[in-house]
Amino acid sequence: MNQIFYDAIMENPVIAAVKDEDGVLNCMQKDINVVFVLFGELTTISDIVDRLKSAGKIVIVHLDLIGGLAVREESVRFIKQYTKADGIISTKPDMIKYAKELGLYTIFRIFVIDSKAFNAISHHAISSADLIEILPGIMPRIIQKFSQKTHVPIIAGGLISEKEDVINALDAGAIAISSTNQQVWNM
């Protein structure tokens, strides 16, 4: 992982995940280093990224959630060539691997919904990811077990709404948390 990216996360382990324009506007005013963009369309994503970059943020686009972009290599190239995004998030290992080849920061998002999903994690091609985001992020024991299972740093995301959730995730081994809850951004 790029040292600048890692340092930005370590300096402020709360990552703003924005799902609408209100989130973009509010996180631009916060002392947050890294922003996950969880919305947008082919026609709007460049503008969203530009505004966040102009506010000094490291911007990571969730490739799977951008309207008009199929989860294919062409979409990764589009993000690289036509936006100023620093990286992508995806649930697809092939997209993570390709984005890494293009020099983008990569976050592999995993939904741990049961023991089958947890046990299947080791079978994913996660070694190319800079970070792994585990959802929901309110499972300290799972975060701890998973952090012992991999050398890839972990972000806890999803359903984090209290200061206790943030502390528990970080204590369990996550290096950061991501949240769309704007109250969490102030913690």
Side-chain angles (χ1 to χ4, degrees):
M1 174 177 8
N2 180 294
Q3 193 64 44
I4 294 169
F5 185 37
Y6 184 78
D7 291 346
I9 290 171
M10 297 309 291
E11 182 180 309
N12 185 348
V14 175
I15 297 168
V18 296
K19 60 182 178 179
D20 54 30
E21 276 300 317
D22 182 54
V24 170
L25 295 173
N26 286 336
C27 87
M28 288 172 66
Q29 306 304 316
K30 304 286 183 196
D31 186 27
I32 288 182
N33 298 332
V34 179
V35 179
F36 291 173
V37 177
L38 309 180
F39 80 107
E41 298 176 1
L42 179 65
T43 58
T44 62
I45 192 62
S46 292
D47 178 61
I48 295 166
V49 171
D50 284 351
R51 288 185 287 136
L52 290 166
K53 292 296 290 179
S54 71
K57 311 298 184 191
I58 293 174
V59 182
I60 311 296
V61 173
H62 195 316
L63 186 69
D64 307 3
L65 300 179
I66 304 304
L69 291 180
V71 182
R72 298 182 2 198
E73 288 184 357
E74 294 85 358
S75 297
V76 177
R77 282 196 306 274
F78 175 84
I79 294 296
K80 172 76 174 172
Q81 293 176 6
Y82 297 105
T83 77
K84 296 176 184 171
D86 299 288
I88 68 154
I89 301 168
S90 182
T91 59
K92 310 294 185 205
D94 290 342
M95 298 304 97
I96 297 298
K97 185 177 178 183
Y98 186 63
K100 191 71 175 169
E101 289 171 8
L102 294 180
L104 293 168
Y105 302 146
T106 56
I107 300 172
F108 184 53
R109 181 178 261 194
I110 301 170
F111 295 92
V112 185
I113 56 172
D114 57 19
S115 60
K116 183 178 177 182
F118 179 81
N119 291 330
I121 289 170
S122 63
H123 301 292
H124 288 295
I126 58 176
S127 59
S128 7
D130 291 310
L131 297 162
I132 298 167
E133 183 181 28
I134 294 178
L135 285 90
I138 54 170
M139 305 179 302
R141 272 185 274 153
I142 299 302
I143 293 167
Q144 184 177 34
K145 286 180 183 180
F146 193 73
S147 66
Q148 294 168 351
K149 217 176 170 177
T150 181
H151 68 281
V152 180
I154 295 171
I155 297 171
L159 302 177
I160 295 174
S161 61
E162 306 290 328
K163 187 173 187 173
E164 181 180 1
D165 298 334
V166 174
I167 292 167
N168 288 341
L170 296 173
D171 286 348
I175 66 163
I177 65 95
S178 69
S179 181
T180 58
N181 183 327
Q182 295 180 24
Q183 294 175 345
V184 173
W185 300 351
N186 296 319
M187 294 182 191

